[in-house]
Amino acid sequence: MSTLGALKAEIADDLVRGDLTTQIASAITSGIRKFQEHRFYFNETRDATFSTVAAQSIYTGDDLALIPKFVTIDAIYKDFGGSVTELTRVMPPEIETLSATVAQQGEPWDWTYFNQSIRFYPIPDAAYSIRIQGHYRLDAPASDGEADNAWMTEAYELLRCYAKRQLALHVLKDSEMMANMNAGLGAALSELQAVS
């Protein structure tokens, strides 16, 4: 398994430069931020689950850490008594209006995503098991030695090319290297997207 530390070392070796430690780290971080918005097979989930609470309509990162990290929510499912149903997505103003006029509690059938929060209607009257399917922002590794972070395993080559392109453009001022890394970046991105 590769790590952030290994990626930094490989880029320094590729460039035959040991004096760009800060710039290499910055270029990798920039690449992760850029590609967090891209959907890949490794930053999708269908297993983000939490339970509702009676009389609570809005759910945040306090209820499930992944909630504020969603870029796209494809569907939300409710499992109640072994019966799984897909809830209906509505626009935030619709739930706002419904909740303001009739604070109905019951088994939720509608949901919306606004301000990095999920809101249900009717307001849940009990604990319902909720499962979210969608694309989320996968965090960068917390340390140089963290193992099994998908950015360093699945997207290693993508970040390697992106970081070297950024260094060629902003630090080394090497247009030939930048052109080569553009081609490498395109190939790495295509490979990852082909798997999705």
Side-chain angles (χ1 to χ4, degrees), residues 2 6 22 29 36-38 48-50 68 71-72 77 80 98 107-108 111-112 114 131 143 150 169 173 175 178:
S2 190
T22 302
T29 299
Q36 281 177 324
E37 303 302 314
H38 284 68
T49 60
F50 67 97
V71 176
T72 305
Y77 300 93
F80 186 62
L98 285 169
E107 190 172 335
W111 69 275
T112 195
F114 182 76
R131 180 169 55 86
S143 69
L169 176 65
K173 313 296 187 207
S175 58
M178 191 178 96

Side-chain angles (χ1 to χ4, degrees), residues 119-188:
R119 187 171 188 181
F120 294 107
Y121 189 83
I123 300 165
D125 62 348
Y128 297 95
S129 180
I130 301 295
R131 180 169 55 86
I132 309 168
Q133 179 179 331
H135 160 216
Y136 65 96
R137 286 178 195 86
L138 177 66
D139 290 334
S143 69
D144 280 2
E146 179 184 326
D148 298 327
N149 183 290
W151 289 118
M152 298 303 119
T153 55
E154 307 303 316
Y156 185 91
E157 197 59 35
L158 177 74
L159 292 174
R160 181 179 173 207
C161 291
Y162 181 85
K164 289 194 300 186
R165 184 188 77 169
Q166 293 301 99
L167 292 165
L169 176 65
H170 298 294
V171 178
L172 303 172
K173 313 296 187 207
D174 185 334
S175 58
E176 183 180 346
M177 180 181 167
M178 191 178 96
N180 288 336
M181 290 304 99
N182 273 336
L185 181 62

Side-chain angles (χ1 to χ4, degrees), residues 75-93:
I76 293 183
Y77 300 93
K78 173 184 62 189
D79 183 342
F80 186 62
S83 176
V84 177
T85 55
E86 183 178 347
L87 302 182
T88 302
R89 184 174 197 162
V90 297
M91 297 305 294

Side-chain angles (χ1 to χ4, degrees), residues 18-72:
D19 60 333
L20 298 176
T21 306
T22 302
Q23 294 90 337
I24 290 170
S26 179
I28 293 168
T29 299
S30 174
I32 291 171
R33 275 197 315 265
K34 175 181 177 57
F35 291 112
Q36 281 177 324
E37 303 302 314
H38 284 68
R39 188 172 190 150
F40 302 111
Y41 61 90
F42 59 82
N43 62 357
E44 295 177 312
T45 187
R46 61 173 301 279
D47 296 321
T49 60
F50 67 97
S51 291
T52 62
V53 176
Q56 180 180 334
S57 65
I58 298 174
Y59 295 81
T60 66
D62 292 338
D63 302 290
L64 176 66
L66 210 53
I67 288 175
K69 296 180 182 181
F70 274 98
V71 176
T72 305

